[in-house]
Amino acid sequence: MSAVLQNLVNQPYKHGFVTEIESDIAPKGLNEDIIRLISTKKNEPAWLLDFRLKAYQQWLKMEEPKWPNVKYRQIDFQAISYYAAPKPKKKLNSMDEVDPELLRTFEKLGVPMHERAALAGVAVDVIFDSVSVATTYKQKLAEVGIIFCSISEAVHAYPELVKQYLGTVVPVGDNYYAALNSAVFTDGTFCFIPKGVKCPMDLSTYFRINTEESGQFERTLIVAEEGSSVSYLEGCTAPRFDTNQLHAAVVELIALDNADIKYSTVQNWYAGDEKGVGGIYNFVTKRGLAKGANSRISWTQVETGSAITWKYPSCILQGENSVGEFYSVAVTNNYQQADTGTKMIHIGKNTRSTIVSKGISAGHSNNSYRGLVRIAPTASGARNYSQCDSMLIGDQCGAHTFPYIQVRNQNAKVEHEASTSKIGEDQLFYFAQRGIGNEEAVSMIINGFCKDVFQQLPMEFAVEATKLLGFKLEGSVG
Amino acid sequence: MIHQDSKTILEVSGLRAAVEGVEILKGVDLIVKSGEVHAIMGTNGSGKSTFAKVLAGHSAYQVTGGSVLFEGQNLFDLEPEERARAGVFLAFQYPIEIPGVSNSHFLRLAYNTLQSQRGKDELDPLEFEDFVREKMKLLEMNPNFLDRGVNEGFSGGEKKRNEMLQMALLEPRLAILDETDSGLDIDALRIVTNGVNKLANKDNAIILVTHYQRMLNYIEPDYVHVMRGGRIVKTGGKELALDLETRGYDWVGVERRVPASA
């Protein structure tokens, strides 16, 4: 790929993040007054302010985790401004106004039309002239009783539901970053699938009509009632930039009896330059509670961006026969660092979990898998299968695996497989000898390596992810 | 078969090459014309496999002297993949495993890359499937090979057949078979060599790199070369191979041996 294109991928683009007027921004620093200010500005009910203050009190007593296998400069939490009034993205009136270079990048990545529009900040209605896709979308969902809106909206419109579930999977004092998020989160997504409803389409944040940025402390809550199912897509393959370096999101999923939640992420945040300068710190807490019998929670993630990734989408398998899944591809290049994996906590009888983790390291990057499989004494007949594969490209990068297994029940069965491979000169020579150049060879090898994960992704996401990986690893071989 | 209107495909003059600073090839001379089958024999370490890899362009080897013309073009001006697209094929002594990449996908990509290079139509997956199945019959291969990863978990014999299948698909001008006979049982050897014979024609040329004469019972070479100390020290007809079989390699080229420092 040309250097031009490569630069494009790793370059902040001009549109969409223009700060027009920054009048309504809180002073830097974190204290109770700031939290009260956030809550007042958002016109929140008292219970939510209590929630925030409790989280803040916990946070004060906590320490930043030191155990992840990542290195970064100490974050000054008092140098961050925790509230800015939601500012609408700069709206463009047609695709013609979008930077043509950006469009070419989308083209190369194969980003679908509607996504391109949303990403570039063009009003979706303009692109699809007859009926707004987003509006149709919302109508369809409303017909079956699905609630899909921003969490701020939900706090006002559905306070009982939010109150009932918020913080039940990730308690306010769960960990340092979750506590911080609970204290200061500004917005995010709320999704509620009522009893027996199979969500008729994949839910994606692009189509949430609210176009304001959620900010650096995003909060997502998804509840699937008895017998319902939903597939939720987060992120996108196109590069995403943000002026905030620290991102600490919390995602909570709750599946009741026979409910099924599938959560897919493609993360391509700014990773810093090729020397490791800049880039997003992505410290996320994602956890699903498979609360009901026969419920299922499935995480699929393709992590390619961020300077530092600290993320362990987990499942608490409480209901009998509940199922947890984690499929992950984590790619690090240049000086990126990723410490990612999952936790599968088996509590209910005959609970099952599957972990498939594929780590690809290139350049000077470090990629760690960290996983915990815990079988509680109550989890008779529980089963886990874990597979952790690492691939190294070049000889300056690192791949690490930290699997923790705790089994407290004699009837449980836990399997763990791991492998490390290297894209070698010999493999590339073999391809070359058959007329296939390095770039295409690497892409084929990588896609072969990630196949088990990619096939878990919704179709169009999978196609994009495939291209994205080729993109990210461009020039790292040969 | 040597024929009158044959053209020179490969012209190697004084080729020298080193790996990690140690010179392995010390002046190889060889001319290969279309329609010819050449056997290069020699003991371990004589440089015959190095010669094969240098022609294909393996990056671990540095060319330190001499020249190679392939159909009149300087071979060293071409990247390995360009050499392949120009019609140089190397059947690997140890074919590489590529887990997760399906054999059919790999074969089709290789085939279509060459087709487009030659200005011919590429085949879609269904067309290719029919096409490749025909070729597989030639090598008595089970169609389930297509669904497996490239060489992944293949037995030694299966890997070699897969190499021959690629040769059949790519129809190279020059095929270099690096110890394709090693690790084959007698049935597999018959099938593989039978395949090679069917692929040989008056427009292409084949270089067989081998230790043993036994492969030459099935593929009749026009020339047999003996390599020693990084040079071709003796050239003869197919009867030379039989001589080597009975007398070993020690007697060949002793009188011409040059000190390593030369």
Side-chain angles (χ1 to χ4, degrees), chain B residues 102-233:
Chain B
S102 89
N103 208 19
S104 62
H105 187 184
F106 174 73
L107 294 172
R108 185 162 56 86
L109 184 62
Y111 177 78
N112 280 338
T113 303
L114 246 91
Q115 285 293 101
S116 77
Q117 173 85 9
R118 291 168 181 165
K120 293 184 187 162
D121 287 344
E122 298 185 17
L123 295 184
D124 69 35
L126 291 176
E127 292 167 334
F128 182 75
E129 178 98 9
D130 293 341
F131 177 72
V132 73
R133 275 168 188 262
E134 275 309 304
K135 299 281 182 188
M136 290 173 85
K137 280 185 196 158
L138 185 76
L139 293 156
E140 300 180 27
M141 288 171 82
N142 187 327
N144 74 19
F145 268 83
L146 293 174
D147 303 326
R148 294 164 65 182
V150 178
N151 296 321
E152 190 181 1
F154 285 23
S155 71
E158 287 171 335
K159 284 180 179 170
K160 296 299 172 75
R161 276 196 233 188
N162 205 29
E163 293 294 289
M164 290 305 104
L165 176 62
Q166 293 173 47
M167 177 176 159
L169 287 172
L170 303 179
E171 299 180 338
R173 290 281 281 160
L174 175 67
I176 306 155
L177 276 53
D178 190 6
E179 307 214 8
T180 295
D181 52 337
S182 68
L184 292 185
D185 62 34
I186 203 76
D187 285 333
L189 183 65
R190 178 185 53 74
I191 293 163
V192 163
T193 50
N194 186 29
V196 174
N197 283 328
K198 284 186 182 152
L199 297 171
N201 62 42
K202 67 177 178 51
D203 295 320
N204 62 22
I206 294 169
I207 297 176
L208 304 170
V209 174
T210 180
H211 258 312
Y212 304 108
Q213 189 271 338
R214 86 176 175 153
M215 191 182 196
L216 307 180
N217 290 334
Y218 299 90
I219 305 173
E220 201 168 287
D222 299 300
Y223 298 98
V224 173
H225 310 276
V226 179
M227 214 162 175
R228 184 173 187 135
R231 307 174 68 217
I232 287 174
V233 293

Side-chain angles (χ1 to χ4, degrees), chain A residues 203-230:
Chain A
L203 294 185
S204 154
T205 35
Y206 305 130
F207 291 125
R208 223 184 51 211
I209 277 189
N210 185 338
T211 50
E212 280 119 36
E213 286 185 55
S214 300
Q216 57 189 138
F217 303 102
E218 201 169 339
R219 188 94 194 184
T220 302
L221 175 60
I222 300 177
V223 180
E225 279 199 328
E226 290 84 351
S228 69
S229 74
V230 62

